């Protein structure tokens, strides 16, 4: 039953030597669990599951007690401003489930709230499953029954012209975003960081300040807030004037009309601007090189407060590890004085957490790794270029084996 499942999960986080691999100081991630809907259709209910894990995919409800019964905010963002803002409606069963002999009860629905139109999923032991319905916040259905690209003179059933392929793809897509609602104490970490480049403790001068600094060094660092998740782009299907699903090409139909872009949160607009350049013009899907996206708080000195957008892929090189999260946090605390235009060469970049964090505070960065890591790394460089004064560049490098190759990359970084 539930007790044996919980016991098995607890044992899975313990090594043979008795050490726990789940610690309350680790950074959690929220995951949009597979299988996700193959498309998002306005007016229809979709089953969505989320869960929390540490960097190794483990979760212990006792070690992460505060987060285990928290809430996850889920919202949807259209990748075309023509679709307008989207709103979700939620219905979620009680968890734990009622006994089998209990009388059936209808599930209450909860419309999305706030500027994002998102809904809140209640976690139970770090997991939640719910049904959500997607709809236009200010629905203006097309009388033609065609997608927005057709209104520009292109029929959805036809092959788009090359110069409009990315625009059509974006018009027919949306992403799901999951973030953990902040709890009391989450803001203490962000507010305690010194200004960029500062090595002092501010007001804690003198002996009292030195003692405070000693205690801070001795105490374990507080856990970072859980990292959010973003799905791969999903086909966004609207409704025709007759109420049926819109027809379309293999990429799905799109939602016609919509709200005013001025009503959208700045984070949604920035997200759309970040993802659209990565939608390939030849129509090949992004999932060939990316499994999903991770949302990481930016360094404290970054020019934009919006999260870093990091694509994750299969393998060790395709993950956002806690070491990268700590490096990003260290840069924000002034651990390395980086001035505007300073040169940074990152070797073994992985998904590029450290290099992109450095670029977001003004550095000129060259991200390098083995060839198999470059597809997702290029997606990340492109997705975060808008927030960097000097967009990061990407190049292959097998460091440690060929000094000539390293010197060549250093020269490339200087000329970038």
């Amino acid at each position: 039953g539930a007790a044996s499942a919980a016991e098995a999960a607890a044992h899975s986080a313990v090594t043979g030597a008795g050490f726990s691999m789940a610690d309350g100081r680790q950074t959690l991630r929220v995951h949009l669990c597979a299988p996700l809907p193959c498309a998002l259709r306005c007016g229809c209910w979709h089953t969505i599951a989320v869960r929390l894990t540490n960097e190794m995919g483990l979760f212990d409800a006792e070690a992460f007690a505060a987060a285990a019964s928290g809430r996850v905010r889920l919202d949807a963002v259209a990748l075309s401003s023509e679709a307008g803002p989207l709103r979700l409606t939620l219905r979620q069963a009680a968890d734990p489930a009622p006994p089998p002999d209990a009388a059936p009860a209808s599930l209450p629905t909860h419309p999305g709230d706030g500027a994002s139109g998102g809904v809140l999923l209640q976690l139970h032991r770090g997991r939640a499953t719910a049904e959500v319905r997607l709809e236009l916040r200010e629905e203006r259905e097309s009388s033609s029954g065609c997608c927005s690209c057709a209104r520009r003179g292109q029929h959805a059933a036809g092959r788009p012209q090359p110069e409009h392929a990315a625009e059509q793809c974006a018009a027919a897509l949306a992403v799901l975003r999951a973030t953990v609602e902040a709890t009391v104490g989450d803001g203490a970490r962000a507010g305690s960081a010194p200004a960029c480049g500062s090595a002092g403790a501010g007001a804690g001068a003198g002996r009292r300040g030195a003692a405070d600094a000693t205690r801070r060094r001795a105490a374990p660092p507080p856990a970072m807030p859980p990292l959010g998740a973003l799905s791969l782009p999903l086909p966004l299907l609207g409704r025709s004037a007759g109420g049926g699903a819109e027809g379309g090409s293999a990429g799905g139909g799109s939602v016609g009309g919509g709200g005013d872009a001025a009503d959208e949160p700045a984070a949604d607009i920035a997200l759309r601007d970040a993802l659209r350049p990565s939608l390939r013009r030849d129509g090949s899907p992004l999932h060939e090189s990316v499994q999903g996206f991770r949302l990481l708080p930016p360094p404290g000195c970054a020019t934009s407060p919006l999260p870093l957008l990091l694509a994750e892929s299969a393998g060790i090189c395709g993950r956002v590890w806690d070491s990268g999260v700590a490096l990003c946090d260290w840069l924000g605390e002034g651990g390395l004085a980086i001035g505007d235009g300073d040169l940074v060469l990152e070797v073994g970049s992985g998904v590029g957490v450290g290099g992109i964090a450095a670029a977001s505070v003004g550095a000129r960065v060259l991200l390098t790794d083995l060839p198999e890591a470059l597809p997702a790394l290029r997606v990340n460089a492109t997705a975060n270029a808008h927030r960097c004064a000097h967009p990061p560049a990407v190049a292959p490098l097998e460091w440690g084996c060929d000094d000539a190759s390293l010197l060549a990359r250093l020269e490339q970084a200087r000329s970038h």
Side-chain angles (χ1 to χ4, degrees):
S4 60
E7 184 179 353
H11 284 307
S12 68
V14 178
T15 67
F19 294 103
S20 175
M21 293 188 292
D23 187 291
R25 294 168 295 180
Q26 295 170 333
T27 300
L28 291 174
R29 293 113 169 98
V30 59
H31 299 270
L32 289 160
C33 301
L36 286 174
C38 59
L40 298 174
R41 187 181 297 276
C42 287
C44 295
W45 290 97
H46 304 84
T47 300
I48 304 293
V50 298
R51 65 186 178 101
L52 300 178
T53 75
N54 63 8
E55 63 177 345
M56 293 169 285
L58 303 173
F59 187 83
D60 186 334
E62 294 183 0
F64 304 105
S69 57
R71 297 189 299 178
V72 169
R73 174 171 289 276
L74 180 71
D75 53 10
V77 180
L79 297 187
S80 169
S81 57
E82 295 182 10
L86 304 173
R87 182 180 296 278
L88 297 177
T89 300
L90 168 76
R91 59 187 185 193
Q92 183 177 8
D95 204 348
D101 56 351
S106 60
L107 300 179
T109 59
H110 305 280
D113 59 353
S116 70
V119 292
L120 295 175
L121 281 66
Q122 180 63 53
L123 295 173
H124 176 68
R125 301 187 66 85
R127 294 175 176 266
T129 301
E131 291 182 312
V132 295
R133 183 177 64 203
L134 179 74
E135 53 199 357
L136 291 170
R137 213 176 308 177
E138 297 177 7
E139 186 170 353
R140 294 204 308 254
E141 295 176 352
S142 169
S143 60
S144 64
C146 297
C147 69
S148 56
C149 292
R151 289 194 295 274
R152 290 195 296 267
Q154 294 178 331
H155 294 292
R159 183 176 181 84
Q161 296 298 320
E163 63 269 22
H164 295 304
E167 286 78 358
Q168 184 191 29
C169 189
L173 297 173
V175 292
L176 293 174
R177 178 174 54 198
T179 55
V180 176
E181 282 286 279
T183 57
V184 176
D186 282 352
R189 182 184 180 95
S192 62
C196 188
S198 171
R207 274 183 286 179
R208 181 177 178 181
D212 290 344
T214 301
R215 282 194 295 270
R216 282 197 298 271
R217 286 194 296 269
M224 288 280 289
L227 307 182
L230 195 74
S231 74
L232 288 172
L234 299 169
L236 177 60
L237 306 180
R239 290 178 294 178
S240 67
E246 285 186 358
S249 62
S254 75
V255 179
D260 188 349
D263 297 332
E264 288 187 279
D268 290 4
I269 298 174
L271 177 61
R272 183 165 57 242
D273 293 342
L275 284 179
R276 289 190 65 176
S278 296
L279 302 177
R280 302 177 185 176
R281 290 180 176 272
D282 60 3
S284 56
L286 192 62
H287 63 69
E288 288 182 357
S289 57
V290 174
Q291 293 182 333
F293 293 89
R294 185 64 55 201
L295 303 175
L296 178 65
C301 316
T303 56
S304 171
L306 300 175
L308 304 180
L309 183 62
L310 300 168
E312 292 188 312
S313 60
I316 294 177
C317 63
R319 303 270 293 278
V320 176
W321 297 98
D322 280 3
S323 56
V325 176
L327 176 59
C328 181
D329 194 46
W330 179 71
L331 289 173
E333 292 178 348
L336 180 65
I338 298 179
D340 184 29
D342 284 352
L343 177 64
V344 173
L345 172 66
E346 185 180 30
V347 294
S349 296
V351 296
V353 178
I356 291 173
S360 72
V361 299
R364 293 185 297 123
V365 177
L366 178 62
L367 307 169
T368 67
D369 210 317
L370 298 176
E372 57 264 30
L374 297 190
L377 192 57
R378 289 194 176 98
V379 170
N380 291 338
T382 300
N384 293 278
H386 68 285
R387 67 184 303 132
C388 305
H390 310 283
V394 177
L397 175 63
E398 186 177 355
W399 63 279
C401 299
D402 185 354
D403 291 341
S405 297
L406 179 59
L407 293 174
R409 292 308 177 207
L410 283 171
E411 187 60 32
Q412 179 180 351
R414 291 190 184 97
S415 61
H416 168 57

